[in-house]
């Protein structure tokens, strides 16, 4: 407890002084206001418009104090715009009022004000300043033109990761300031603007000349730096050279199986879940992407990654040793790679569920469809979407081989419940997610039990389509935080520094550190061939981190899990019970054979709900009001009351297939069989072309001989 300060002698009473006004500084409240999308955008636009209006009035009157204040306000607003309201920049650009136009207008009004101040002969006095200003803007245009050329030379037709591409003359990116025209104009033009302001205030042309000289020097320096990047030995390899290098890499690496993926930034998890099974294959794997930004979205892996944005570059895979491409999702660009006849294509999906997306008609475009177990085979047969049963191969779920099996009821103080709802989907079906209609009720019912520890892991896309889902998710999080404030949980006696050390080690192994100005070429340079044994080191570090993470948490503290770590399967291992929706989460959780429940927000009666979704057959069905949660917890804590244990074991076999041989082994077998089919197909095509080629040559020779009048004369047939 702090010691009290000694009391000072009280002075004689004085009349109360007026409360001082707060300084016009940008307070924390003002910053928060600026960060609000609508309010901040409206305020910035209004202030900027008012500043330009005041600057125009001051230049035409002329009124020097107003001109000075309006220009300063305009520059300050520009800074706030770049710092807190970058979204407004695109709005201004769409109305053709981007930063270049605004900066030119600001300087133009300064020049008008200068010319209207003082004597009539000021035009001749300030003509050199105007000429210098025009020269600066001409240099700005030149810098921008060269910047575009540099960017084009650094936009390669192939983007790689985990591949040694040093032969392409990769180099660090130019400074970010030189690549952003708006920021560059503001930074380089600030001395000129300041000099013109000083000239207007002090009527000293030398101030303007000095400011313009600094701006011209900065622009010339930037132009020189960029021009050096265009020298033959300083720029990366050209398009033809890159494509030749890529063909040579394919010939040297000789990939046999690849993971093909295309999608949005938030869909990368669909590919990431197949990285480990792909890495364990007895093959030479490669990851083929189509979007440049996706290269950095793929999780840590030692597998070579190639991004081929153009279709013409993608078609070069036809002449490679690649035999099979695995597709975890459908996209518009999937049809482009399906045109390659030398490669066999299989659809593995990114999860098993009863949703219509799990038996999409697009699946018939693939050579094979790989599913987890018999239930998915039946799903395609019932959907009648054109997928023949002979093309369906059961491989299990290789990702689930490491999930810990059920080892009895909870033995500690708390029963850990994992609530992992899915997202709202694109079709507006209320049965897609329980977050909107049932999430808060379920969480309240769970939090009301003092023996429950809740793990809440919402889907990453929650709220991306329906704002109601996003709002409900926020309310659920607040309920959990409020429950934690009321529950006093002692921190475990573990070494807190150990978790920090393991986190740093795992980040070092899985995260590439880039400069803020790094572009794709620089990232390729940094993410070259991985260190030997990195994949094993990542696996060990991940396992150690997960153990340290869970051990560092208070035993009864509820958790909101939204980061990439810990992963969903790590939450499976800690949970005694899962509550979710009709999604692949419940299919995956069945690998543990632990109890699970499904929230019925579809509006269907319970029996109809079970009949419509086979994955619910071994689940406790919960209503949107959360009734039945207490009885569900009772069956988890007392297995003798659990009547669904046998049903879960049977459903696991139906959904995920047999435990032996392991899923990874079945996955490997399916890859080998499809690779063999691809090789046989190539052999048949080559044999057919070889058989047809002599006949074609003879026909052409006879045609040429007929034209020349030499039909039947030996030796006159010439090959085309």
């Amino acid at each position: 407890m702090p010691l009290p300060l000694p009391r000072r002698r009280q002075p004689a009473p004085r009349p109360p002084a007026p409360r001082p006004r707060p300084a016009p500084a940008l307070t924390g409240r003002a910053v928060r206001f600026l960060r609000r999308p609508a309010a901040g955008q409206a305020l910035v636009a209004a202030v900027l418009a008012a500043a330009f209006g005041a600057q125009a009035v001051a230049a035409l009157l002329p009124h020097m104090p107003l001109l000075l204040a309006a220009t300063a306000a305009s520059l300050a607003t520009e800074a706030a715009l770049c710092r807190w309201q970058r979204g407004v920049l695109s709005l201004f650009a769409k109305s053709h009022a981007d930063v270049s136009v605004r900066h030119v207008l600001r300087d133009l009004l300064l020049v008008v004000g200068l010319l209207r101040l003082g004597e009539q002969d000021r035009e001749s006095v300030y003509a050199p300043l105007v000429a210098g200003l025009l020269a600066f803007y001409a240099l700005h245009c030149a810098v921008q033109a060269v910047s575009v050329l540099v960017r084009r030379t650094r936009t390669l037709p192939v983007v790689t990761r985990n591949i040694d591409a040093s032969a392409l003359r990769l180099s660090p990116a130019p400074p970010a300031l030189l690549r952003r025209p708006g920021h560059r104009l503001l930074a380089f033009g600030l001395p000129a603007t300041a000099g013109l302001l000083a000239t207007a205030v002090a009527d000293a042309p030398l101030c303007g000349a000095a400011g313009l000289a600094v701006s011209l020097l900065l622009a010339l320096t930037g132009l020189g730096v960029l021009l050096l990047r265009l020298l033959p030995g300083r720029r990366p390899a050209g398009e033809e050279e890159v494509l030749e290098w890529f063909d040579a890499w394919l010939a040297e690496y000789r990939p046999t199986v690849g993971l093909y993926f295309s999608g949005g930034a938030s869909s990368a998890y669909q590919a990431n879940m197949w990285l480990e099974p792909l890495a364990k294959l007895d093959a030479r794997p490669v990851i083929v992407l189509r979007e440049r930004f996706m290269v950095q979205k793929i999780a840590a892996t030692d597998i070579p990654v190639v991004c081929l944005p153009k279709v013409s570059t993608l078609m070069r895979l036809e002449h490679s040793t690649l035999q099979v491409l695995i597709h975890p999702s459908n996209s518009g660009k999937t049809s482009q790679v399906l045109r390659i006849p030398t490669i066999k294509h299989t659809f593995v999906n990114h999860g098993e569920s009863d949703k219509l997306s799990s038996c999409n008609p697009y699946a018939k475009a693939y050579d094979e469809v790989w599913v987890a177990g018999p239930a998915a085979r039946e799903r395609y047969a019932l959907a009648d979407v054109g997928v023949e049963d002979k093309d369906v191969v059961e491989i299990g779920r290789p990702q689930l081989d490491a999930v810990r099996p059920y080892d009895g009821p909870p033995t500690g103080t708390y029963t850990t419940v994992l609530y992992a709802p899915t997202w709202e989907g694109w079709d507006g079906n209320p049965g897609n997610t329980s977050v909107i209609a049932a999430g808060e009720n379920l969480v309240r019912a769970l939090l009301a039990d003092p023996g429950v520890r809740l793990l809440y892991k919402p889907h990453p896309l929650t709220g991306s389509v329906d704002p109601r889902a996003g709002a409900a998710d926020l309310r659920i999080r607040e309920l959990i935080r409020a429950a934690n404030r009321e529950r006093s949980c002692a921190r475990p006696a573990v070494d807190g520094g150990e978790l920090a050390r393991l986190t740093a080690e795992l980040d070092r192994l899985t995260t590439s550190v880039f400069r803020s100005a790094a572009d794709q070429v620089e990232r390729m340079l940094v993410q070259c061939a991985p260190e030997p044994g990195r994949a094993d080191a990542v696996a060990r570090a991940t396992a150690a981190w997960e153990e340290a993470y869970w051990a560092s948490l208070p035993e009864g503290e509820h958790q909101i899990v939204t980061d990439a770590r810990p992963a969903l399967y790590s939450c499976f291992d800690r949970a005694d019970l899962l509550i979710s929706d009709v999604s692949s989460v419940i299919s995956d959780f069945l690998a543990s054979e632990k109890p699970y429940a499904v929230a019925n927000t579809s509006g269907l009666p319970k029996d109809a709900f079970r009949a419509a979704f086979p994955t619910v057959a071994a689940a406790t069905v919960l209503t949107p009001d959360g009734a039945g949660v207490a009885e569900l917890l009772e069956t988890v804590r007392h297995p003798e009351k659990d009547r669904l244990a046998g049903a879960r074991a049977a459903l696991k076999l139906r959904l995920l297939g047999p435990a032996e041989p392991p899923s990874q082994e079945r996955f490997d077998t399916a890859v080998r069989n499809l690779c063999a089919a691809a090789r046989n197909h190539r052999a048949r095509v080559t044999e057919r072309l070889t058989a047809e080629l002599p006949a074609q040559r003879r026909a052409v020779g006879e045609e040429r001989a007929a034209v020349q009048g030499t039909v039947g004369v030996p030796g006159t047939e010439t090959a085309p």
Side-chain angles (χ1 to χ4, degrees):
M1 183 175 180
L3 295 176
L5 295 175
R7 299 183 61 182
R8 293 183 178 180
R9 185 176 180 181
Q10 296 293 332
R14 295 181 180 179
R19 179 176 298 177
R21 295 183 178 180
L26 200 60
T27 63
R29 181 177 298 178
V31 170
R32 289 192 296 271
F33 179 79
L34 282 175
R35 286 175 177 169
R36 296 178 185 174
Q41 291 175 7
L43 178 63
V44 169
V47 172
L48 197 59
F52 275 113
Q55 193 179 11
V57 171
L60 294 174
L61 285 178
H63 190 279
M64 184 51 56
L66 181 59
L67 181 64
L68 180 63
T71 305
S74 176
L75 289 172
T77 308
E78 289 283 0
L81 189 69
C82 295
R83 178 64 178 85
W84 291 295
Q85 286 293 332
R86 295 184 180 180
V88 184
L89 295 174
S90 60
L91 298 178
F92 280 128
K94 291 178 181 178
S95 59
H96 300 284
D98 59 8
V99 65
S100 300
V101 173
R102 297 195 300 273
H103 198 80
V104 171
L105 179 60
R106 189 181 299 112
D107 286 346
L108 177 63
L109 291 174
L110 277 176
V111 171
V112 171
L114 283 175
L115 296 179
R116 290 184 58 81
L117 288 171
E119 297 82 3
Q120 296 297 322
D121 61 345
R122 298 178 72 87
E123 289 84 354
S124 59
V125 176
Y126 291 114
L129 298 182
V130 176
L133 189 63
L134 293 176
F136 168 72
Y137 281 109
L139 271 177
H140 167 70
C141 294
V143 173
Q144 179 59 20
V146 177
S147 175
V148 171
L149 291 177
V150 171
R151 184 175 69 247
R152 289 181 178 177
T153 63
R154 297 180 66 83
T155 304
L156 305 184
V158 179
V159 182
T160 65
R161 183 176 141 192
N162 297 337
I163 299 175
D164 183 7
S166 57
L168 301 180
R169 299 189 300 277
L170 307 179
S171 61
L177 186 63
L178 298 180
R179 309 201 308 265
R180 301 173 182 172
H183 293 74
R184 182 180 64 242
L185 183 58
L186 281 175
F188 289 2
L190 186 60
T193 303
L196 292 176
L197 270 177
T199 299
V201 173
D203 195 14
L206 287 178
C207 296
L212 284 167
V214 174
S215 292
L216 288 170
L217 180 61
L218 291 174
L220 283 171
T221 303
L223 182 61
V225 170
L226 290 175
L227 284 174
L228 289 175
R229 296 283 182 152
L230 295 178
L231 294 176
R234 298 289 301 275
R235 62 172 178 253
E239 182 172 354
E240 290 301 323
E241 188 177 352
V242 172
L243 294 179
E244 290 177 2
W245 170 87
F246 179 59
D247 291 340
W249 178 83
L250 286 174
E252 178 184 1
Y253 180 65
R254 299 186 63 80
T256 55
V257 59
L259 181 74
Y260 179 91
F261 189 73
S262 172
S266 59
S267 62
Y269 72 94
Q270 300 171 357
N272 289 333
M273 68 171 57
W274 285 98
L275 296 182
E276 186 174 352
L278 186 67
K280 292 180 179 179
L281 287 176
D282 183 17
R284 301 186 69 83
V286 64
I287 298 172
V288 181
L289 306 176
R290 302 301 309 281
E291 291 81 18
R292 296 176 184 270
F293 67 84
M294 190 61 71
V295 175
Q296 302 306 322
K297 297 294 182 180
I298 297 298
T301 179
D302 287 357
I303 302 174
V305 179
V306 295
C307 178
L308 311 175
K310 294 182 179 180
V311 179
S312 58
T313 310
L314 180 71
M315 291 298 113
R316 304 179 90 89
L317 296 177
E318 180 177 355
H319 306 291
S320 71
T321 57
L322 194 61
Q323 300 165 11
V324 169
L325 276 179
I326 299 172
H327 300 257
S329 69
N330 298 312
S331 70
K333 295 180 180 179
T334 302
S335 61
Q336 298 170 350
V337 75
L338 290 178
R339 293 187 294 175
I340 300 180
T342 58
I343 299 177
K344 292 292 184 180
H345 303 268
T346 179
F347 180 62
V348 295
N349 212 338
H350 51 275
E352 292 279 349
S353 74
D354 291 325
K355 292 182 179 179
L356 293 178
S357 58
S358 292
C359 51
N360 193 307
Y362 197 94
K364 62 187 174 185
Y366 302 94
D367 295 289
E368 291 184 355
V369 176
W370 294 354
V371 299
R377 180 187 296 275
E378 297 169 8
R379 188 183 305 121
Y380 275 106
L382 292 174
D384 193 19
V385 293
V387 177
E388 298 185 24
D389 186 71
K390 66 180 180 62
D391 297 328
V392 179
V393 180
E394 299 176 24
I395 64 168
R397 287 277 285 166
Q399 300 88 342
L400 304 179
D401 286 348
V403 173
R404 298 175 187 172
Y406 177 69
D407 57 355
T411 56
T413 307
Y414 296 97
T415 300
T416 302
V417 180
L418 172 62
Y419 178 40
T422 190
W423 68 303
E424 58 271 23
W426 299 107
D427 55 6
N429 189 332
N432 287 340
T433 179
S434 60
V435 170
I436 299 175
E440 294 174 81
N441 294 331
L442 293 173
V443 169
R444 286 194 184 95
L446 291 169
L447 297 178
D449 189 318
V452 165
R453 178 202 192 190
L454 176 61
L455 306 179
Y456 175 55
K457 188 172 179 61
H459 193 283
L461 296 180
T462 299
S464 60
V465 173
D466 193 338
R468 296 178 302 166
D473 171 57
L474 293 178
R475 291 193 297 269
I476 290 173
R477 299 187 190 201
E478 185 53 39
L479 286 173
I480 296 173
R481 296 189 187 99
N484 277 334
R485 289 192 292 268
E486 296 178 0
R487 174 179 288 185
S488 59
C489 300
R491 289 280 170 185
V494 296
D495 183 7
E498 178 67 9
L499 179 60
R501 186 190 66 79
L502 291 172
T503 301
E505 175 66 12
L506 192 54
D507 289 341
R508 185 188 67 81
L509 291 171
T510 60
T511 306
S512 297
V513 180
F514 306 114
R515 298 185 307 129
S516 59
D519 61 359
Q520 290 176 345
V521 170
E522 183 173 342
R523 293 188 179 100
M524 287 176 60
L525 179 63
V526 174
Q527 294 177 314
C528 58
E531 300 176 1
R534 188 183 65 172
D536 294 336
V538 169
R540 291 192 299 269
T542 300
W545 182 90
E546 289 179 350
E547 288 296 327
Y549 170 79
W550 293 112
S552 68
L553 300 176
E555 183 183 6
E557 186 178 76
H558 308 296
Q559 301 297 325
I560 302 172
V561 185
T562 55
D563 295 333
R565 297 194 296 257
L568 177 63
Y569 297 156
S570 178
C571 297
F572 283 0
D573 292 340
R574 298 289 167 174
D576 301 304
L577 166 69
L578 168 73
I579 299 179
S580 187
D581 307 321
V582 177
S583 69
S584 61
V585 173
I586 58 177
S587 301
D588 288 353
F589 190 76
L590 269 170
S592 67
E593 296 189 29
K594 296 177 183 178
Y596 72 101
V598 179
N600 179 13
T601 57
S602 65
L604 297 173
K606 181 183 294 186
D607 293 339
F609 184 62
R610 290 186 185 275
F613 303 107
T615 53
V616 186
T620 299
V621 178
L622 298 175
T623 55
D625 59 2
V629 169
E631 293 79 2
L632 172 63
L633 293 172
E634 188 70 11
T635 61
V636 173
R637 292 161 178 161
H638 302 282
E640 67 275 6
K641 300 180 180 180
D642 183 7
R643 299 185 178 89
L644 296 172
R648 288 196 299 273
L651 186 59
K652 173 189 174 182
L653 182 64
R654 186 163 171 260
L655 290 178
L656 304 177
E660 294 294 335
S663 294
Q664 182 65 42
E665 184 176 334
R666 285 186 281 161
F667 179 51
D668 202 349
T669 301
V671 169
R672 287 199 304 270
N673 292 340
L674 195 55
C675 284
R679 291 193 299 270
N680 292 336
H681 173 73
R682 290 189 184 189
R684 290 194 302 270
V685 171
T686 302
E687 182 180 356
R688 185 173 66 249
L689 292 177
T690 303
E692 293 175 354
L693 192 57
Q696 294 174 357
R697 288 179 175 175
R698 286 194 299 270
V700 173
E702 292 176 359
E703 182 180 353
R704 289 183 177 179
V707 173
Q708 298 172 2
T710 58
V711 177
V713 180
T716 57
E717 294 88 349
T718 57

